[in-house]
Amino acid sequence: MNRLGVAIVGCGLIGQKRAQALGDAARLVVCADVAKDRAERLAASAPGCTAVTDWTVAVNDPAVSVVLVATLHDSLAEITRGAIEAGKHVLVEKPAARNAAELAGLAELAAQKGVLVRVGFNHRYHRALQKAYAIVQSGDLGPLMFLRARYGHGGRVGYDREWRADPAKSGGGELIDQGPHLIDLARWFLGDFAEVDGFAATYYWDMPVDDNGFLLLKTASRQVAFLHASCTEWKNTFSFEIYGRDGKLDISGLGGSYGVERLTYYKMLPEMGPPETTSWEYPMADNSWRVEFAEFVEDIRLGRQPAAGLGDAVAALAIIDKIYKVSGYDHHA
Amino acid sequence: MNRLGVAIVGCGLIGQKRAQALGDAARLVVCADVAKDRAERLAASAPGCTAVTDWTVAVNDPAVSVVLVATLHDSLAEITRGAIEAGKHVLVEKPAARNAAELAGLAELAAQKGVLVRVGFNHRYHRALQKAYAIVQSGDLGPLMFLRARYGHGGRVGYDREWRADPAKSGGGELIDQGPHLIDLARWFLGDFAEVDGFAATYYWDMPVDDNGFLLLKTASRQVAFLHASCTEWKNTFSFEIYGRDGKLDISGLGGSYGVERLTYYKMLPEMGPPETTSWEYPMADNSWRVEFAEFVEDIRLGRQPAAGLGDAVAALAIIDKIYKVSGYDHHA
Amino acid sequence: MNRLGVAIVGCGLIGQKRAQALGDAARLVVCADVAKDRAERLAASAPGCTAVTDWTVAVNDPAVSVVLVATLHDSLAEITRGAIEAGKHVLVEKPAARNAAELAGLAELAAQKGVLVRVGFNHRYHRALQKAYAIVQSGDLGPLMFLRARYGHGGRVGYDREWRADPAKSGGGELIDQGPHLIDLARWFLGDFAEVDGFAATYYWDMPVDDNGFLLLKTASRQVAFLHASCTEWKNTFSFEIYGRDGKLDISGLGGSYGVERLTYYKMLPEMGPPETTSWEYPMADNSWRVEFAEFVEDIRLGRQPAAGLGDAVAALAIIDKIYKVSGYDHHA
Amino acid sequence: MNRLGVAIVGCGLIGQKRAQALGDAARLVVCADVAKDRAERLAASAPGCTAVTDWTVAVNDPAVSVVLVATLHDSLAEITRGAIEAGKHVLVEKPAARNAAELAGLAELAAQKGVLVRVGFNHRYHRALQKAYAIVQSGDLGPLMFLRARYGHGGRVGYDREWRADPAKSGGGELIDQGPHLIDLARWFLGDFAEVDGFAATYYWDMPVDDNGFLLLKTASRQVAFLHASCTEWKNTFSFEIYGRDGKLDISGLGGSYGVERLTYYKMLPEMGPPETTSWEYPMADNSWRVEFAEFVEDIRLGRQPAAGLGDAVAALAIIDKIYKVSGYDHHA
């Protein structure tokens, strides 16, 4: 089989991770970054790969079938649009834009151009979340009642001087950084949210964007997602808890400084009392990037809409937009 | 010193715990319960103690200085009022009433009668919470930013047929059962809440009261308390996390089926990164009831207002009232 | 089916546990204890049950088919012999005697009398150990290489004044108290030991028996059991680790103060590195006594030799005898 | 102050770690390795540092005051001797030789030459072990009774084809690889061992050296060290438990795949029962190499014998020699 030609736009940490996760079905043909040396370093890792500073060159390269967009938030939507217009499939990193408005019309454009757009909600592809999703799909947990999740890190010296602290580049703070993963996972399990409440605040870091976001989301049938994202969490934390009528799933850790990835399944017994308790740990390296991209390759082969697409990004951003508004942040101005 | 004469009204599980936690400075002189045998069994545990079925007899007994009120929620306020009117000091169990209105005028009445009223927010007296409070008071954690807590259990077969499921007796469900502890602890650390959002729902149990309450509370300076109480938690859980600018306190467990009580202190270093981490575990038996009552004895000796009083109960109930209202529960009707 | 008539000899803590674990297939008909009131209290828990102080009366009662022997160590063997001679099946608590010599001839006597003798190595029947055994039997762990285990508690004030500290009554200290469980579990998994090394010592308690036993046992094929039993463990501990060529089983906790019972299975992957890790927790009440006795009832019904019999007790005691001898304890004198 | 000139002999993983841990008081002046490119790569990390393939050149370089010996086991003793003869201070990695005999006369030679020799038992300098040692020294734990420790990893594909599997290069297997750390830590806390029992075996790996070592060591006053080292541990493990009359110290983890480094102190109360329990976690990067070398710099400045010297290496190797002999390994032949 011909390996898909891939362009990576944005050759920072995430672009590099993507390059390593292409698998056998794709090959890196062009790297684009405004910093020439970054593009060149990444290009050097793949035989025959070229380096450019102008992303329009990359997305229009005839050898390219798929564009991976891993830039700062302020150009995610624009480059995605450019790639679609060039007739390329796109994997754009979350949040895919600084706000929902930036994505207006993109889904229609992609449909018209006959290309697929996947949004990089890679957390869905972590082993523990994949297994949790399978358990929920099997019906063993019964109908879902609510979710509770927290995700956070402790920043680092100078965090408030980085690009994430500049709303023109980032579109916001913690809520648009780690928040989209929480919102997307919640929607993956519960579906769309009909009511959105919450609050974003800047407690610690000296920056005009939020460092904490609290969300109380409800589906039309009043299932709650109770979510908190923080970059003043001090001890890196990921916890995602799913409650069904017949049991509970508790996912914690994402590997590395977030602790070993683990899924615990509490299965209620007819006599109630302490549940049957089984845990699965995943001490091995995170393979979510590889699995996600392999699924995208398969999407392309089958002409199948990606599981996580533009609609999911728009839905997450609409929630974030609303919380920013009610909390007094106006990053659109 | 003369030992204080104590009446216990309500001789169920909590009344019995109170009886065992009186210490040396008090003695049980009368037990009251609508079920005669319950009153008699508890009275039999203390030499010379009498048993009655009419609480007014108990609170008016001249040998009684302190009345402990441990009945169902529907009579907590009424008996407290009766005891105050009889000129007795009162320790009333949380939530102290079915709603804030039931407590109207009681504080003034107590002041006028020269008696003290303590509300049994015993969780403040757990070892881990006492130590956490001391650390916060020392300033080591820096100014507080927000709290996050969850408290829940998994019910038991027939839970929805118990008195707690009857709003006339209980005033509500989970939010007025375990919720008051969370709210009171949050107020203890952060002070009064200026904004109250949240949601209560009945997901699982076949009852007209809530089985889950979600709270997003804000102080005037926008410090958040993000709280969840649940009786569909399946795995018994208590977690209370306190975030300051300079570190984090994580309290988990309350002993027994809630797991070993533990406090972990994450102290941020100037260079940030992984915090200094110290934990204290308390595998020994819970002594909160004894410590709380000993402090009340000292309150009485000194004529000092109890740390947790009627104002704290009213504040917690006002929050609960509001959440019930916005969530569509009308238990006052 | 007729319920088996049971006599319990020794109505202390263990005798009481046995009484509660008889299940539906047996009924308690006579209780014997040198302390009359203890026998009477236990007898009162079963309708029609009588209480005696002379164990010979109990074992000769024609309504009795099974004798449970739960006395101090010094009479375990004697009463077992008496019960066998009376033609009764016997469940005798571990260690079954103060030393191997006390059991000489008993197995032959039982065979001759046509009765079954089970030794109460109830730890085999804990949920985690049952599941571990099934995994090993399935072959999934591969051939076993070695075991490592530790079992201990922290005593209590006056522990060295209790009967366990008197070698005439107990036959020894920690090694003959918790040690037999470790040795029996090790033999259950690995089979007989051909070489016995180790050491017993009295470090802390003021008593003429050991408070710590260290064992290095080897099968004929040099599989090691590396075992430690202690009553100066301070923090109650049970850990039993089983190493096969293809993975590891780690059992920890026994419930209560020993922590939640848990089995973790580390399954090696062909690429090695971090193993696949699955845990099962058993927060529910220990049912080992009930399961063990039910199996004995089935042994009796089928005329089947019990899985844990006199031979297992003799083997464990022979190891303990040897360690006591090399460590300078002479409790036979 | 003049920075000490350092030569590193052996530029593999450990040599590289040493280079990064020199601190401000020393500078790397020459790197030696039989593989030229390895020496050159390490030398390139320090300005003005040269690379050689002949270690005798390095140790005789007049700019060198301190030689760090980080080669395979078969040349540790020889190079240490050469460096001493050249009048240089030496830090030699554990085990410092393949057997005790190789170190004969070295301590005397060093004394005669007026140089100091430190052996790289860096585990003593892990934060948790440093703190544990301070607690023991303070007397808070009371007199020590015994130690229990286990240290192991799960190897990797081809582990039995590496140099460690060749006794001519390594002097043995697991017992001389991770074993010396356990033995040295045990001696650090308990002092010399008067009796040495144990067993080494090759269970899994296809190699002529052991993959498991079990030790039962006793001091003259019968304090036991019960130690196990394994390279078939499957799940990487480090546990070191210290028992005193008044409490217990439990050290677990060494960072990375061994889990977060943690010290738990169980302090017995006069009433016994559950101990007071305090834990300290060290999630930050291991600094043992830096602290150890800084102490050596101070040793040199003060002319003070290093805390861990040739005598400690000889004592550990003598124990290993004995266990190999009784277990049927003859690596000296």
Side-chain angles (χ1 to χ4, degrees):
Chain A
M1 152 179 161
N2 271 352
R3 293 163 76 203
L4 289 169
V6 171
I8 290 182
V9 183
C11 300
L13 205 66
I14 300 297
Q16 293 160 32
K17 276 200 185 195
R18 288 286 177 201
Q20 283 162 16
L22 293 181
D24 293 333
R27 66 195 174 88
L28 188 57
V29 297
V30 55
C31 290
D33 198 292
V34 289
K36 185 96 196 270
D37 60 327
R38 263 210 308 242
E40 283 172 344
R41 264 201 307 276
L42 186 55
S45 71
C49 180
T50 58
V52 299
T53 54
D54 180 351
W55 66 263
T56 65
V57 174
V59 306
N60 285 293
D61 187 320
V64 166
S65 305
V66 183
V67 177
L68 306 191
V69 189
T71 59
L72 303 196
H73 296 175
D74 58 351
S75 55
L76 289 172
E78 177 191 10
I79 298 169
T80 298
R81 180 180 301 271
I84 295 170
E85 281 170 347
K88 306 301 167 72
H89 303 297
V90 181
L91 190 161
V92 57
E93 297 300 338
K94 60 89 207 167
R98 287 171 298 184
N99 51 65
E102 290 188 338
L103 295 176
L106 277 199
E108 296 73 11
L109 185 64
Q112 181 187 325
K113 290 286 184 178
V115 299
L116 301 176
V117 181
R118 176 176 272 273
V119 179
F121 288 120
N122 75 301
H123 283 26
R124 294 191 187 191
Y125 296 90
H126 271 260
R127 289 178 178 92
L129 280 150
Q130 286 282 309
K131 185 168 186 90
Y133 195 75
I135 291 172
V136 169
Q137 291 299 306
S138 77
D140 283 356
L141 214 62
L144 297 191
M145 303 189 296
F146 58 88
L147 303 175
R148 195 170 60 200
R150 46 214 155 94
Y151 192 10
H153 65 89
R156 52 192 162 257
V157 174
Y159 190 70
D160 42 7
R161 301 279 80 84
E162 301 182 9
W163 69 267
R164 290 185 193 280
D166 175 357
K169 292 190 179 122
S170 60
E174 173 64 13
L175 192 59
I176 205 169
D177 178 19
Q178 296 190 300
H181 281 305
L182 286 187
I183 297 169
D184 180 65
L185 291 175
R187 287 185 67 256
W188 192 35
F189 282 98
L190 292 185
D192 278 322
F193 293 107
E195 287 181 61
V196 172
D197 288 297
F199 181 61
T202 310
Y203 288 122
Y204 178 84
W205 296 100
D206 177 25
M207 59 187 188
V209 297
D210 59 297
D211 53 27
N212 277 272
F214 303 90
L215 298 175
L216 172 52
L217 311 176
K218 282 172 239 156
T219 65
S221 54
R222 317 224 303 177
Q223 296 155 297
V224 159
F226 200 57
L227 314 175
H228 179 208
S230 175
C231 59
T232 64
E233 179 66 42
W234 303 145
K235 167 76 175 175
N236 291 7
T237 296
F238 178 81
S239 167
F240 197 87
E241 299 170 289
I242 304 164
Y243 291 79
R245 287 184 64 89
D246 300 331
K248 167 182 172 180
L249 297 174
D250 181 342
I251 297 130
S252 67
L254 288 171
S257 63
Y258 286 88
V260 173
E261 192 176 320
R262 179 187 289 113
L263 169 63
T264 303
Y265 176 14
Y266 299 96
K267 183 184 175 65
M268 290 306 285
L269 303 171
E271 67 268 31
M272 305 199 77
E276 261 190 30
T277 307
T278 310
S279 295
W280 298 270
E281 274 191 24
Y282 304 98
M284 50 285 289
D286 171 22
N287 69 347
S288 63
W289 307 82
R290 182 170 292 268
V291 174
E292 180 188 44
F293 188 74
E295 189 175 300
F296 192 35
V297 168
E298 193 68 358
D299 293 337
I300 292 168
R301 198 178 67 81
L302 301 172
R304 172 184 70 184
Q305 279 302 316
L310 282 169
D312 299 294
V314 169
L317 285 166
I319 289 169
I320 294 166
D321 289 352
K322 160 122 197 242
I323 298 303
Y324 280 160
K325 194 170 163 196
V326 302
S327 305
Y329 293 94
D330 182 8
H331 301 318
H332 292 46
Chain B
M1 152 180 163
N2 271 353
R3 294 162 77 202
L4 289 169
V6 171
I8 291 183
V9 183
C11 299
L13 206 65
I14 300 298
Q16 292 160 32
K17 276 201 186 196
R18 288 288 176 200
Q20 283 161 17
L22 293 181
D24 294 333
R27 66 195 174 89
L28 189 56
V29 297
V30 54
C31 289
D33 198 293
V34 291
K36 184 98 195 267
D37 60 326
R38 263 210 310 242
E40 284 171 345
R41 264 202 307 277
L42 187 54
S45 71
C49 181
T50 58
V52 299
T53 54
D54 180 352
W55 66 263
T56 64
V57 174
V59 307
N60 285 293
D61 187 321
V64 167
S65 303
V66 183
V67 177
L68 307 191
V69 189
T71 58
L72 304 195
H73 295 176
D74 58 351
S75 55
L76 289 173
E78 178 191 8
I79 297 170
T80 298
R81 181 180 301 271
I84 295 171
E85 283 171 346
K88 306 303 165 71
H89 303 297
V90 182
L91 190 160
V92 57
E93 297 300 337
K94 61 89 205 165
R98 287 172 297 184
N99 50 66
E102 290 189 335
L103 295 175
L106 278 199
E108 296 72 12
L109 184 65
Q112 183 187 323
K113 290 287 184 176
V115 299
L116 302 176
V117 182
R118 174 175 273 272
V119 178
F121 288 121
N122 75 301
H123 284 25
R124 295 190 186 191
Y125 295 91
H126 270 262
R127 289 178 178 90
L129 281 150
Q130 286 281 309
K131 187 169 185 89
Y133 195 75
I135 291 171
V136 169
Q137 291 299 307
S138 77
D140 283 357
L141 214 62
L144 297 190
M145 304 189 296
F146 59 88
L147 303 176
R148 194 170 60 199
R150 46 212 156 96
Y151 191 11
H153 65 90
R156 53 193 162 256
V157 174
Y159 190 70
D160 42 8
R161 300 279 81 86
E162 301 182 8
W163 69 268
R164 291 184 193 281
D166 175 357
K169 291 190 181 123
S170 61
E174 173 65 13
L175 193 57
I176 204 169
D177 178 20
Q178 296 190 300
H181 282 306
L182 286 186
I183 296 169
D184 180 65
L185 292 174
R187 288 185 66 256
W188 192 35
F189 282 99
L190 291 185
D192 278 322
F193 293 107
E195 287 181 62
V196 172
D197 287 298
F199 181 61
T202 309
Y203 288 121
Y204 179 85
W205 296 101
D206 177 25
M207 58 186 189
V209 296
D210 58 297
D211 54 26
N212 277 272
F214 303 91
L215 298 176
L216 172 51
L217 311 176
K218 282 172 237 155
T219 65
S221 54
R222 314 224 303 178
Q223 296 156 296
V224 160
F226 200 57
L227 314 175
H228 179 208
S230 176
C231 58
T232 65
E233 180 65 42
W234 304 145
K235 166 76 176 175
N236 290 7
T237 297
F238 177 80
S239 167
F240 198 87
E241 300 171 289
I242 304 163
Y243 292 79
R245 288 184 64 88
D246 301 331
K248 167 182 171 181
L249 297 174
D250 182 342
I251 296 130
S252 66
L254 288 172
S257 62
Y258 286 89
V260 173
E261 192 176 320
R262 180 186 288 114
L263 168 64
T264 303
Y265 176 15
Y266 299 96
K267 184 184 173 69
M268 291 304 287
L269 302 170
E271 68 269 30
M272 304 199 78
E276 260 190 29
T277 306
T278 310
S279 296
W280 298 271
E281 273 190 24
Y282 303 98
M284 50 286 287
D286 170 22
N287 68 347
S288 63
W289 307 81
R290 183 170 292 269
V291 174
E292 181 187 44
F293 188 74
E295 190 175 300
F296 192 35
V297 168
E298 193 68 359
D299 293 337
I300 292 168
R301 198 179 65 81
L302 300 172
R304 173 184 69 184
Q305 280 303 316
L310 282 169
D312 299 296
V314 169
L317 286 167
I319 290 169
I320 293 166
D321 289 351
K322 161 125 196 239
I323 299 303
Y324 280 160
K325 194 172 164 193
V326 301
S327 305
Y329 294 95
D330 183 7
H331 301 318
H332 293 45
Chain C
M1 150 180 165
N2 271 352
R3 293 163 77 203
L4 289 169
V6 171
I8 291 183
V9 184
C11 300
L13 206 64
I14 300 298
Q16 293 160 31
K17 277 201 186 195
R18 288 288 177 198
Q20 284 162 16
L22 293 181
D24 294 333
R27 66 194 174 89
L28 188 57
V29 298
V30 54
C31 290
D33 199 293
V34 290
K36 184 101 195 265
D37 60 327
R38 264 210 309 241
E40 284 171 345
R41 265 201 307 275
L42 187 54
S45 71
C49 180
T50 58
V52 300
T53 55
D54 179 353
W55 65 263
T56 64
V57 174
V59 306
N60 286 292
D61 187 320
V64 167
S65 304
V66 183
V67 177
L68 307 191
V69 189
T71 58
L72 303 196
H73 296 175
D74 58 351
S75 55
L76 289 173
E78 177 192 9
I79 297 170
T80 297
R81 179 179 302 270
I84 296 171
E85 282 171 347
K88 307 302 167 72
H89 303 298
V90 182
L91 190 160
V92 57
E93 297 300 336
K94 61 90 204 165
R98 287 172 298 184
N99 51 65
E102 289 188 336
L103 296 175
L106 277 200
E108 295 74 11
L109 184 64
Q112 182 187 326
K113 290 285 184 177
V115 299
L116 301 176
V117 182
R118 174 176 274 273
V119 178
F121 288 120
N122 75 301
H123 283 26
R124 295 191 186 190
Y125 295 89
H126 271 262
R127 289 177 177 92
L129 281 150
Q130 286 282 309
K131 186 167 185 91
Y133 195 76
I135 292 172
V136 169
Q137 291 300 306
S138 77
D140 283 356
L141 214 63
L144 298 190
M145 303 189 296
F146 57 88
L147 303 176
R148 193 170 61 199
R150 45 214 155 94
Y151 192 10
H153 65 90
R156 51 192 163 256
V157 173
Y159 190 70
D160 42 7
R161 301 279 80 84
E162 301 181 7
W163 69 268
R164 290 185 193 282
D166 175 356
K169 291 188 181 125
S170 60
E174 173 65 13
L175 192 58
I176 204 169
D177 178 19
Q178 296 190 298
H181 281 306
L182 286 186
I183 296 169
D184 180 65
L185 292 174
R187 288 185 66 255
W188 192 36
F189 282 98
L190 292 185
D192 278 322
F193 293 106
E195 286 182 61
V196 172
D197 287 297
F199 180 61
T202 310
Y203 287 122
Y204 178 84
W205 296 101
D206 177 25
M207 58 187 189
V209 296
D210 57 298
D211 53 27
N212 278 272
F214 303 90
L215 298 175
L216 172 52
L217 311 176
K218 282 173 238 154
T219 66
S221 55
R222 314 225 302 179
Q223 296 154 296
V224 159
F226 200 58
L227 313 175
H228 179 208
S230 175
C231 57
T232 64
E233 180 65 41
W234 304 145
K235 167 76 176 176
N236 290 7
T237 296
F238 178 80
S239 167
F240 198 87
E241 299 170 290
I242 304 164
Y243 291 78
R245 287 184 64 88
D246 301 330
K248 167 182 172 180
L249 297 173
D250 181 343
I251 297 129
S252 67
L254 289 173
S257 62
Y258 286 89
V260 173
E261 193 176 320
R262 180 186 288 113
L263 168 64
T264 303
Y265 176 14
Y266 299 96
K267 184 183 174 67
M268 290 306 285
L269 302 170
E271 67 269 31
M272 304 199 79
E276 260 189 30
T277 306
T278 310
S279 296
W280 298 271
E281 273 190 25
Y282 304 98
M284 50 284 289
D286 170 23
N287 68 349
S288 63
W289 306 82
R290 183 170 292 268
V291 175
E292 181 188 44
F293 188 74
E295 190 175 301
F296 191 34
V297 168
E298 193 68 0
D299 293 337
I300 292 168
R301 198 178 66 81
L302 300 172
R304 173 184 71 185
Q305 279 302 317
L310 282 169
D312 299 295
V314 168
L317 285 167
I319 289 169
I320 293 166
D321 289 352
K322 161 126 197 239
I323 298 304
Y324 279 161
K325 192 170 165 194
V326 302
S327 304
Y329 294 95
D330 182 6
H331 301 318
H332 293 44
Chain D
M1 148 180 163
N2 272 352
R3 292 162 77 202
L4 289 169
V6 171
I8 290 182
V9 184
C11 299
L13 205 66
I14 300 298
Q16 292 159 32
K17 275 201 188 196
R18 288 286 178 200
Q20 283 162 17
L22 294 181
D24 294 332
R27 66 195 174 88
L28 188 57
V29 297
V30 54
C31 289
D33 198 293
V34 291
K36 186 95 195 269
D37 60 327
R38 261 210 311 241
E40 283 171 345
R41 264 202 306 276
L42 187 55
S45 71
C49 180
T50 58
V52 300
T53 54
D54 179 352
W55 66 263
T56 64
V57 175
V59 307
N60 286 292
D61 187 321
V64 167
S65 305
V66 183
V67 177
L68 307 191
V69 189
T71 58
L72 303 194
H73 296 176
D74 59 350
S75 55
L76 289 173
E78 176 192 10
I79 297 169
T80 297
R81 180 180 302 271
I84 295 171
E85 281 171 348
K88 305 303 167 68
H89 303 298
V90 182
L91 189 160
V92 57
E93 298 300 338
K94 62 88 205 169
R98 287 172 297 185
N99 51 65
E102 289 189 336
L103 295 176
L106 276 200
E108 296 73 12
L109 184 65
Q112 182 187 327
K113 288 287 185 178
V115 299
L116 301 176
V117 182
R118 175 176 272 273
V119 178
F121 288 121
N122 75 300
H123 283 26
R124 294 191 187 191
Y125 295 91
H126 271 262
R127 289 177 178 92
L129 281 149
Q130 286 281 309
K131 186 168 185 91
Y133 195 76
I135 291 172
V136 169
Q137 291 299 306
S138 77
D140 283 355
L141 214 62
L144 297 190
M145 304 189 296
F146 58 89
L147 303 176
R148 194 170 60 198
R150 46 214 156 95
Y151 192 10
H153 64 90
R156 51 193 163 256
V157 174
Y159 191 70
D160 43 7
R161 301 278 81 84
E162 300 182 10
W163 69 268
R164 291 185 193 281
D166 175 357
K169 290 189 181 123
S170 60
E174 173 64 13
L175 192 58
I176 204 169
D177 179 18
Q178 296 189 299
H181 281 306
L182 286 187
I183 297 169
D184 181 64
L185 292 174
R187 288 185 66 256
W188 193 35
F189 281 100
L190 291 184
D192 279 322
F193 293 107
E195 287 181 61
V196 171
D197 288 298
F199 182 60
T202 310
Y203 288 121
Y204 179 84
W205 295 101
D206 177 25
M207 59 186 189
V209 297
D210 57 297
D211 53 26
N212 277 272
F214 304 90
L215 298 175
L216 171 52
L217 312 176
K218 283 172 238 153
T219 65
S221 55
R222 315 224 303 178
Q223 296 155 297
V224 159
F226 200 59
L227 314 175
H228 179 208
S230 176
C231 58
T232 65
E233 180 65 42
W234 304 144
K235 166 75 176 175
N236 290 7
T237 297
F238 178 81
S239 167
F240 198 87
E241 300 171 288
I242 304 164
Y243 292 78
R245 288 184 63 89
D246 301 331
K248 167 182 172 181
L249 297 173
D250 181 342
I251 297 129
S252 66
L254 289 172
S257 62
Y258 286 89
V260 173
E261 191 175 321
R262 181 186 290 113
L263 169 63
T264 303
Y265 175 15
Y266 299 96
K267 183 183 174 69
M268 290 306 285
L269 302 171
E271 67 268 31
M272 306 199 76
E276 261 190 30
T277 306
T278 310
S279 295
W280 298 271
E281 274 191 24
Y282 303 98
M284 50 285 289
D286 170 22
N287 69 347
S288 63
W289 307 82
R290 182 170 293 271
V291 175
E292 180 188 45
F293 188 75
E295 189 174 300
F296 191 34
V297 168
E298 193 69 358
D299 293 337
I300 293 168
R301 197 179 65 82
L302 300 172
R304 174 183 69 185
Q305 280 301 317
L310 283 169
D312 299 295
V314 168
L317 286 166
I319 289 169
I320 294 165
D321 289 352
K322 162 125 196 238
I323 299 302
Y324 280 161
K325 193 171 164 195
V326 301
S327 305
Y329 294 95
D330 182 7
H331 302 317
H332 293 45

